[in-house]
Amino acid sequence: LGNVDPILQNNKGKNLSIAAPKVNNVLIKPGEIFSFWHLVGKCSAKKGYLNGLTINNGATSQDIGGGMCQFTNLIHWIILHTPLEIIEHHHHDMYDLFPDYGRTIPFGTGTSIMYNYLDYRFKNNTDTTYQLITYTTDTHLYGELRANKDTNLKYHIKCIDEFFSIENNIVYRDNKIIRHCIDKIAGKVIRCELIKTNHAKVMYDTSNLN
């Protein structure tokens, strides 16, 4: 995240290390709903959480338990590659807060959560049981989704039509996120879905953008 206070970054790592075991190994059986906050609960100092980076009204801030958005970002990215149905997803989609630093995931695929108000939830409408694996190391947060059955589909998420625009002397970042559903046996795209259209106000210096 560029020039974010390294103390907040380190604290985020601590916060994620506390939260990850609460989600690790959870089973999502057919018909069941996954709720991030139902599993993690409120992040409090009493539980060991520290001040971490948060986003508030289009600006960076800090609060106890900051960094949980990165956790749901990871889960969301995993779920986008499955047939599971996302039933609650919020995003900081009004603002582009940070310039790209080695971005590998398309802009506009993140999440916004707030305890007891904004959750991240998905439903298993398949006949397959899934298991979510999450854990941290000293440097990374990891996630994996397992299933008790194979699927004939695989998924590819990509960004198209990405550009910066200017409206009333304000710079915006635009793109579309699409998902290709691919038949693994035939190797052909059987469905193309528009996941999201982004038009976000850029909140950093754009004078060096090409």
Side-chain angles (χ1 to χ4, degrees), residues 79-80 82 155-157 178-181 191-193 195:
I79 299 306
L80 282 175
T82 75
Y155 302 85
H156 180 59
I157 315 299
I178 62 172
R179 179 168 75 166
H180 286 163
C181 304
R191 188 167 65 251
C192 181
E193 302 169 343
I195 300 297

Side-chain angles (χ1 to χ4, degrees), residues 80-136:
L80 282 175
H81 291 80
T82 75
L84 298 171
E85 180 187 1
I86 298 166
I87 60 175
E88 183 174 357
H89 169 223
H90 309 274
H91 187 262
H92 305 289
D93 56 359
M94 293 179 60
Y95 305 102
D96 179 12
L97 295 167
F98 306 103
D100 290 354
Y101 285 88
R103 177 183 292 277
T104 57
I105 294 177
F107 170 78
T109 54
T111 60
S112 174
I113 55 173
M114 181 182 298
Y115 180 72
N116 214 27
Y117 181 58
L118 305 178
D119 199 359
Y120 180 79
R121 299 187 300 146
F122 61 84
K123 185 175 182 179
N124 183 359
N125 285 321
T126 75
D127 61 356
T128 301
T129 295
Y130 289 86
Q131 182 181 41
L132 190 57
I133 310 296
T134 60
Y135 61 95
T136 60

Side-chain angles (χ1 to χ4, degrees), residues 49-195:
Y49 289 97
L50 304 174
N51 267 326
L53 180 71
T54 61
I55 307 298
N56 186 19
N57 294 323
T60 57
S61 184
Q62 56 181 288
D63 199 359
I64 297 295
M68 290 301 105
C69 285
Q70 183 166 334
F71 200 169
T72 49
N73 286 353
L74 172 66
I75 296 172
H76 181 54
W77 183 247
I78 292 173
I79 299 306
L80 282 175
H81 291 80
T82 75
L84 298 171
E85 180 187 1
I86 298 166
I87 60 175
E88 183 174 357
H89 169 223
H90 309 274
H91 187 262
H92 305 289
D93 56 359
M94 293 179 60
Y95 305 102
D96 179 12
L97 295 167
F98 306 103
D100 290 354
Y101 285 88
R103 177 183 292 277
T104 57
I105 294 177
F107 170 78
T109 54
T111 60
S112 174
I113 55 173
M114 181 182 298
Y115 180 72
N116 214 27
Y117 181 58
L118 305 178
D119 199 359
Y120 180 79
R121 299 187 300 146
F122 61 84
K123 185 175 182 179
N124 183 359
N125 285 321
T126 75
D127 61 356
T128 301
T129 295
Y130 289 86
Q131 182 181 41
L132 190 57
I133 310 296
T134 60
Y135 61 95
T136 60
T137 65
D138 289 341
T139 56
H140 287 79
L141 169 68
Y142 289 89
E144 175 186 347
L145 191 70
R146 300 177 181 178
N148 67 346
K149 296 180 183 179
D150 197 4
T151 174
N152 292 328
L153 294 178
K154 63 180 180 179
Y155 302 85
H156 180 59
I157 315 299
K158 64 184 297 185
C159 171
I160 63 171
D161 300 336
E162 185 164 36
F163 60 94
F164 289 93
S165 59
I166 299 178
E167 298 177 13
N168 298 320
N169 294 318
I170 298 174
V171 179
Y172 291 86
R173 183 171 187 163
D174 302 84
N175 70 7
K176 294 179 181 178
I177 307 299
I178 62 172
R179 179 168 75 166
H180 286 163
C181 304
I182 303 167
D183 186 305
K184 291 196 295 188
I185 297 175
K188 295 182 179 180
V189 175
I190 62 173
R191 188 167 65 251
C192 181
E193 302 169 343
L194 176 64
I195 300 297

